[in-house]
Amino acid sequence: MDNITALGGDVYEIDTKMAGFSGITAGYLILSDRPCLVETGTSTSAPVVRDAIASLGVGPDDLATVVVTHIHLDHAGGVGDIARFFPSAQVVVHEKGARHLAEPSRLMASARMVWGDRLDTLFGELSPTEAERIVALGDTGAIDLGNGRTLNSHYSPGHAKHHVGLVDSATGDLYVGDAAGVYLPETGDLRPATPPPDFDLKTALDSIALFEALGPQRLLFSHYGPVQAVRETLERSAEELRVWVDLTRQARSEGMDLDHAVAMVRERTKERYSAMTADEATAEQFELLSGAPSNVAGILHWLDRVSP
């Protein structure tokens, strides 16, 4: 299948084809003794992910675990569907997200407020998962991949209060979710992901420092793909956060409303990302992944909290 890439170490990247786009959201299948899917993608892309897993030889009762870095719909919207397709799999999530996977109505209501009619085409509907199949992680935890191999979870809540990073003991891969921002492999651009309501600068920088301290061999971005230059990339993640926060703070001090703040930050950061000056489709893809309105709104929400 053209949406599967072997990354070595029995790890396979699956392009979930979110909303029909390529290169937006990745799921990862660890084909260990106890096969594990990291990130499901959206509900609407669940059949794509199911077919990719099947093509790698994992039958309906073979998948042992489904793990999500956090419960935002581009990462976990497909959990209920994937759980139904693979009835033997346990679903693993941080304890702050577990109840939303069992009872998604509040999460879906708030997502609909943000996305409106676009919700259905971009994400679809998160189906509930039976509570008894959900394993809730604390600040650290270990997922058994079989044969002595584990996926170790580390709480990293700067992007969202239910976010974890995951380290594979066999490969040294660190699944960063959104805590290190979003990466665009076509251009090598990296941009922060600071949506409301949970973004907090100190917590976000602490999460990046934790990731560096874990000494991973490789970063696996949910958006999008593997990155070998671990230290440089994490340093850039922290720098990008500071740039966006400084610009948003300036816009706020000048009394700008959200629209004007977004326009100013977008203009001032444009030169940092070759994607924004590349072809229109690439710029649009980057904006969908890490939209300036969402990022600026999240930073303003945090600024209102810390310096009203």
Side-chain angles (χ1 to χ4, degrees):
M1 293 176 74
D2 67 351
N3 65 325
I4 299 172
T5 307
L7 300 181
D10 295 321
V11 177
Y12 294 84
E13 174 194 283
I14 299 169
D15 188 336
T16 67
K17 300 287 175 78
M18 176 175 153
F21 291 96
S22 291
I24 291 278
T25 300
Y28 293 95
L29 183 69
I30 304 172
L31 209 49
S32 53
D33 285 9
R34 291 174 48 78
C36 173
L37 175 68
V38 180
E39 313 285 51
T40 64
T42 65
S43 169
T44 45
S45 50
V48 172
V49 175
R50 173 197 60 198
D51 294 349
I53 293 172
S55 78
L56 289 165
V58 177
D61 286 316
D62 298 333
L63 191 66
T65 324
V66 175
V67 193
V68 292
T69 59
H70 60 304
I71 61 168
H72 289 164
L73 295 177
D74 47 341
H75 299 256
V79 165
D81 303 273
I82 294 292
R84 196 168 63 247
F85 296 146
F86 298 95
S88 301
Q90 283 187 314
V91 173
V92 184
V93 62
H94 188 264
E95 60 194 6
K96 285 192 163 73
R99 67 192 173 93
H100 294 289
L101 295 186
E103 182 24 80
S105 55
R106 267 183 64 191
L107 179 67
M108 289 307 302
S110 61
R112 197 164 286 285
M113 276 174 61
V114 173
W115 294 98
D117 293 342
R118 295 180 69 205
L119 182 76
D120 301 316
T121 46
L122 285 176
F123 306 112
E125 190 83 21
L126 170 61
S127 305
T129 300
E130 299 91 344
E132 58 273 14
R133 291 181 61 185
I134 297 172
V135 177
L137 296 166
D139 285 357
T140 56
I143 295 139
D144 179 14
L145 300 176
N147 210 19
R149 184 175 183 175
T150 55
L151 194 60
N152 297 299
S153 149
H154 299 270
Y155 188 43
S156 44
H159 168 81
K161 64 177 185 290
H162 38 75
H163 193 292
V164 297
L166 302 156
V167 180
D168 184 334
S169 67
T171 60
D173 287 332
L174 169 58
Y175 295 86
V176 293
D178 282 351
V182 301
Y183 174 76
L184 202 62
E186 295 90 338
T187 57
D189 285 324
L190 183 68
R191 183 157 150 170
T194 60
D198 293 343
F199 171 70
D200 179 276
L201 179 62
K202 182 183 183 306
T203 313
L205 292 171
D206 286 350
S207 294
I208 292 169
L210 168 66
F211 285 177
E212 199 163 335
L214 291 170
Q217 297 299 302
R218 178 168 66 170
L219 305 175
L220 296 184
F221 281 84
S222 305
H223 321 287
Y224 184 93
V227 175
Q228 301 284 354
V230 172
R231 173 162 291 171
E232 300 89 323
T233 304
L234 292 175
E235 283 172 2
R236 174 119 186 252
S237 296
E239 181 192 345
E240 291 292 330
L241 282 170
R242 290 192 182 98
V243 166
W244 280 68
V245 165
D246 287 348
L247 287 170
T248 304
R249 186 181 270 127
Q250 185 187 329
R252 182 175 180 261
S253 72
E254 291 172 18
M256 291 185 190
D257 63 14
L258 178 61
D259 288 348
H260 285 91
V262 168
M264 189 269 264
V265 174
R266 190 179 266 149
E267 185 57 36
R268 297 270 184 95
T269 55
K270 195 166 65 179
E271 296 305 313
R272 298 181 70 79
Y273 316 113
S274 47
M276 300 315 285
T277 49
D279 60 285
E280 203 173 314
T282 308
E284 199 176 300
Q285 178 180 345
F286 207 29
E287 192 60 25
L288 182 65
L289 280 173
S290 165
S294 165
N295 281 353
V296 172
I299 296 168
L300 284 172
H301 184 82
W302 167 71
L303 287 168
D304 288 344
R305 236 178 25 240
V306 293
S307 51

